[in-house]
Amino acid sequence: MGVARLSLRLLALLAAMLLLPMTASAQSSIRDAEIEGILREYFDPLLTAAGLQPRDVDIILINDPSLNAFVAGGQKIHIHTGLILATDSPEQLKGVIAHEIGHIVNAHLAMSEEAMKDAQGISMISIGLGVLAIAAGAPDAGVALMSNSGYFAALNFFTYGRVAESQADQTGVTLMEQTGQSAEGMVYFFEKFRYEELMSSRRQDPYFRMHPISTQRIAAIRARVAQAETTAQPQSERAIQQLAIMKAKLIGFLQSPMQVARKYPHTDLSENALYARSISEYRAVDIGAALRDIDALLERQPDNPYYWELKGQILFENGRIAESIEPHRKSVQLAPNQPLLKVNLARSLIESRDMEKVREAEGVLMDALAQERDNAFAWNQLAACYGKLNRTPEAALATAEERYYIGDIRRAHVFAQRAAQGLDRTSSNWQRADDIIRVTDPRLPGNRQPS
Ligand SMILES: [Zn+2]
């Protein structure tokens, strides 16, 4: 139990994840089914109002305490965890993202062509929030994962022009209005940070380098908002609680126990406080306390899939693999459209050493991958599953997929070749291996990689 066991499991996982060359520009985005679900609920109506297909727009959460949100790679909206923690109301967060959607629909290029080329070479590692948080406590490996200095470095020097900013503002306000929401939070947010920026405490935040705030800009939004306040509905109780949940979860996973205790003192028995504390205790390997708090939450909300997910995670990371299966199974039953929960369940099944369960994991992973084909970690687990079942060529193919989606073209090529040698040439698996071999051919321009 405890730290030694935790570290071994973690290091094995990280080793699997990090076989790619770890350059200064490697960066982690973080995945969390609950937070992603909330962000989609927040932003999808805005995207639809903008005439975009929500499923065509990726929302990527970046583990970074600084304040930023930006669009890159066409229709990918990147949100720093620091932005979520800095907003006081759903309206503020939605307003900032409505502005970003404004940059998309007005086709403002966030990067020069050259910067774009650099950015495409950057490896984006997606890793579960829970795994990342534990990595933070592990020496070396954690540091590499947490480092974010080089991430989209080109963007740090990018500034939208005055015209683009004002267009994005206008579109943002329109989108808030069209969805029956007030854009006042947007004004409030900009004003608050305009002040803090002047007071220099926020000068380091990349958001204000990229989207310069001016007095005229704020005045223009304010004038617009003042005209059209009448139809806006206040944010629902649900939306307000969702912001509180995201904050509790991010604080629990990413901040120190002292910070958690300051924000959620022991006298606070609200669900958000219990949630943040349970996560924090789990990270501190105080398993008794973590389980006590998550069980208290489950008593209040037995149908919350994310409480079951956390319970499964606490048990799994502490080597109680067999016990972790049922909580994870429960989370999948309660939220069948969340592939990340399926990957958790599969991980427990694979580690159970019960061959019946390892075989079950294959189907669970196939299901997850049918919903989210580019999930590199799901492919990583599928390779582990086939490895345990001695299905070596399929394991090699799953590893080729994993490497391909991480952007490790060189190893994707090698593993696809290995897979093709062992697979039946008439099978669809062989066909897929052959496809990967072709697209990762090192002679193709753009496929040359260092190391
Ligand atoms: Zn902007």
Side-chain angles (χ1 to χ4, degrees), residues 99-100 103 160 165 168 211:
H99 171 99
E100 294 305 318
H103 283 307
Y160 283 108
E165 278 307 274
H211 309 272

Side-chain angles (χ1 to χ4, degrees), residues 109-155:
L109 280 182
M111 285 192 268
S112 67
E113 225 166 283
E114 200 159 315
M116 190 72 94
K117 248 182 247 153
D118 285 349
Q120 277 163 353
I122 288 172
S123 309
M124 270 277 267
I125 308 159
S126 279
I127 189 157
L129 182 54
V131 175
L132 179 90
I134 298 166
D140 307 334
V143 174
L145 264 181
M146 298 293 282
S147 124
N148 50 32
S149 51
Y151 182 62
F152 279 18
L155 277 173

Side-chain angles (χ1 to χ4, degrees), residues 69 99-100 103 108 160-161 164-166 168-169 190 207 210-212 217:
H99 171 99
E100 294 305 318
H103 283 307
H108 299 145
Y160 283 108
E165 278 307 274
S166 121
D169 284 340
F190 288 148
Y207 186 79
M210 203 183 224
H211 309 272
R217 222 190 116 189

Side-chain angles (χ1 to χ4, degrees), residues 37 55 64 68 70 84 86-87 89 115 188 211 221 281 288-289 303 333 335 366-367 373 378 391 429 449:
R55 65 166 181 277
D64 191 319
N68 205 8
F70 59 90
I84 296 176
T87 45
S89 74
Y188 178 82
H211 309 272
I221 311 174
E281 287 151 356
D303 290 335
Q333 282 163 359
M366 288 301 198
D367 234 28
R373 195 177 164 78
R391 289 159 65 176
N429 273 342
Q449 282 194 336

Side-chain angles (χ1 to χ4, degrees), residues 22 88 157 160 197-198 203 206 236 250 297 358 386 451:
M22 197 73 200
D88 308 313
F157 303 101
Y160 283 108
E197 197 198 13
L198 288 175
R203 198 154 283 170
S236 65
L250 289 172
L297 285 171
V358 177
Y386 287 140
S451 86

